[in-house]
């Protein structure tokens, strides 16, 4: 099945480019860990999922690029085309030559409704090019301005237009030291809105990825591209075509077997329903062995509680609220968002 990727804002477009770059680099490579037939099958599955080849010498990413700053999209399109291995469809992007103001409310309440028709037409066009649409994959920052607000709006539009399609939102968690002064407000608003319309949220914490770059990869001067490439590699390995691997998981000598321990899960969820393992004999980007774990756990409980707490302290003193109310986000909207996330925290606390 094919996936349509929706890249939103500067962060979403830069990471989206790195994801397609990682996947295409992997597809174009030849890895000797599997047979020629398995490798060809892998290539076909990857291309069907992420690329289309209509009237083009190179694969074309199944993606829609959205931003309020034309420079970011222009650079993204150009860098992809120069690679010579893949490109974006020049018609599948939207940008507006106007300042975004780096404001969540501006993206959600102004840019979203104003440009809804053209953005959703681009999405519909990409969806119609798929023989079998598997769902949508959106990429955005959680703490930024327009990208996260517009991303929350677009996700709601996707849910309305494609009620039976799976929507996976990839969200970048901000550095704890702070990137934007209102990042905790933006995070609370983004998460609460996505929680209502998304099927799943896949989150990467900038602080965690930064540690990987510093401690595991020994990068001395870490750039945003270094961080984005690590995220892209992890995403690429998660989306790698695989098949179910049931044999051998029940043996204690197999490390995967430990994930079937019933004590890891709630009493109402059977371990065989809570844990599924997928594997492929093929390397990913020349790594002979790699493993990716996607889990629904209490891992983000502390960071989430921290973000909500900081946002609530600011809200209690009415700090920066005017930046949102002038674009139509009222205090009641904040309270609804706080309530939603506090319920999430409560539910995960009792897992």
């Amino acid at each position: 099945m094919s996936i349509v990727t929706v890249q939103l804002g500067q962060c979403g477009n830069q990471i989206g480019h790195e994801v397609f770059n990682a996947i295409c680099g992997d597809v174009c490579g030849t890895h000797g860990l599997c047979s020629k037939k398995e490798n060809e099958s892998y290539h076909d599955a990857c291309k069907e999922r992420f690329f289309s080849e209509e009237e083009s010498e190179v694969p074309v990413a199944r993606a829609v690029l959205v931003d309020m700053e034309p420079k970011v999209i222009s650079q993204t399109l150009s860098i992809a085309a120069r690679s010579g291995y893949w490109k974006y469809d020049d018609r599948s992007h939207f940008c507006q030559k106007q300042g975004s103001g780096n404001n969540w409310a501006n993206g959600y309440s102004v840019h979203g409704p104003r440009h809804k028709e053209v953005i959703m037409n681009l999405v519909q066009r990409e969806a119609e090019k798929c023989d079998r649409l598997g769902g949508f994959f959106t990429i955005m920052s959680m703490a930024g301005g327009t990208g996260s607000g517009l991303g929350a709006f677009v996700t709601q539009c996707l849910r309305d237009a494609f009620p039976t399609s799976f929507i996976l939102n990839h969200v970048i968690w901000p550095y704890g030291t702070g990137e934007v002064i209102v990042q905790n407000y933006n995070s609370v608003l983004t998460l609460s809105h996505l929680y209502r319309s998304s099927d799943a949220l896949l989150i990467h914490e900038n602080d965690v990825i930064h540690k990987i770059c510093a401690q595991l990869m020994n990068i001395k001067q870490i750039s945003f591209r270094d961080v984005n490439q690590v995220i892209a590699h992890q995403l690429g390995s998660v989306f790698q075509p695989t098949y179910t691997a049931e044999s051998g998981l029940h043996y204690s000598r197999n490390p995967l077997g430990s994930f079937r321990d019933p004590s890891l899960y709630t009493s109402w969820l059977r371990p065989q329903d809570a844990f599924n393992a997928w594997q492929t004999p093929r390397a990913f980007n020349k790594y002979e062995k790699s493993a990716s774990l996607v889990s629904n756990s209490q891992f983000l409980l502390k960071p989430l509680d921290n973000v909500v707490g900081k946002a609530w302290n600011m809200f209690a003193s009415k700090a920066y609220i005017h930046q949102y109310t002038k674009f139509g986000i009222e205090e009641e909207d904040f309270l609804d968002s706080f309530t939603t996330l506090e319920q999430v925290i409560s539910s995960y606390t009792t897992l």
Side-chain angles (χ1 to χ4, degrees), residues 84-300:
Y85 294 104
W86 68 281
K87 68 176 185 178
Y88 289 106
D89 187 336
D90 290 337
R91 300 167 294 174
S92 293
H93 69 272
F94 171 79
C95 56
Q96 189 74 15
K97 293 182 179 180
Q98 59 190 57
S100 65
N102 196 33
N103 186 288
W104 192 97
N106 197 13
Y108 183 84
S109 300
V110 179
H111 292 314
R114 180 181 298 167
H115 307 301
K116 174 183 176 180
E117 183 176 358
V118 63
I119 293 173
M120 292 309 295
N121 282 343
L122 292 174
V123 171
Q124 184 68 42
R125 178 174 168 272
E126 285 299 318
E128 290 175 353
K129 291 194 294 186
C130 301
D131 292 332
R132 297 181 301 161
L133 176 63
F136 298 92
F137 177 52
T138 74
I139 309 174
M140 71 185 78
S141 166
M142 183 173 82
T146 308
S148 54
L150 186 60
F153 180 86
V154 169
T155 302
Q156 291 177 355
C157 294
L158 289 174
R159 173 54 67 219
D160 293 339
F162 303 90
T164 61
S165 293
F166 191 86
I167 301 176
L168 173 62
N169 289 89
H170 178 244
V171 180
I172 302 300
W173 200 280
Y175 284 102
T177 52
E179 301 169 53
V180 180
I181 195 167
V182 290
Q183 69 176 33
N184 296 304
Y185 278 162
N186 293 345
S187 298
V188 166
L189 291 167
T190 300
L191 288 175
S192 63
H193 282 77
L194 294 182
Y195 183 77
R196 299 177 190 128
S197 50
S198 177
D199 290 296
L201 300 181
L202 184 58
I203 292 172
H204 274 100
E205 293 183 82
N206 269 340
D207 286 314
V208 173
I209 303 301
H210 199 93
K211 287 182 180 178
I212 291 175
C213 291
Q215 298 175 8
L216 298 182
M217 302 177 69
N218 200 30
I219 300 174
K220 301 302 181 183
Q221 294 183 326
I222 301 171
S223 66
F224 275 113
R225 190 175 184 199
D226 293 324
V227 172
N228 291 345
Q229 286 180 337
V230 171
I231 292 173
H233 182 86
Q234 291 188 359
L235 288 173
S237 62
V238 168
F239 290 135
Q240 187 183 28
T242 53
Y243 55 85
T244 54
E246 290 297 324
S247 61
L249 294 184
H250 296 284
Y251 295 99
S252 58
R253 67 174 179 270
N254 189 318
L256 290 177
S258 61
F259 285 101
R260 293 205 177 268
D261 184 352
S263 64
L264 292 175
Y265 310 105
T266 61
S267 59
W268 47 265
L269 191 60
R270 298 183 305 169
Q272 57 265 39
D273 295 328
F275 173 73
N276 284 298
W278 302 73
Q279 68 177 23
T280 176
R282 189 182 184 279
F284 179 73
N285 271 331
K286 300 181 181 180
Y287 285 85
E288 292 186 2
K289 293 183 179 180
S290 63
S292 299
L293 175 66
V294 179
S295 66
N296 188 21
S297 67
Q298 294 180 330
F299 180 75
L300 281 172

Side-chain angles (χ1 to χ4, degrees), residues 36-75:
K36 181 179 179 181
K37 183 177 181 180
E38 287 174 327
N39 200 47
E40 289 175 351
S41 176
Y42 179 89
H43 283 195
D44 292 341
C46 266
K47 287 181 179 179
E48 179 189 6
R49 183 173 294 179
F50 294 103
F51 299 93
S52 60
E53 297 180 328
E54 52 179 273
E55 302 177 1
S56 175
E57 296 180 358
V58 296
V60 180
R62 297 186 188 276
V64 174
L65 291 68
V66 181
D67 198 3
M68 293 298 109
E69 299 290 343
K71 181 180 178 181
V72 173
I73 289 185
S74 177
Q75 289 177 338

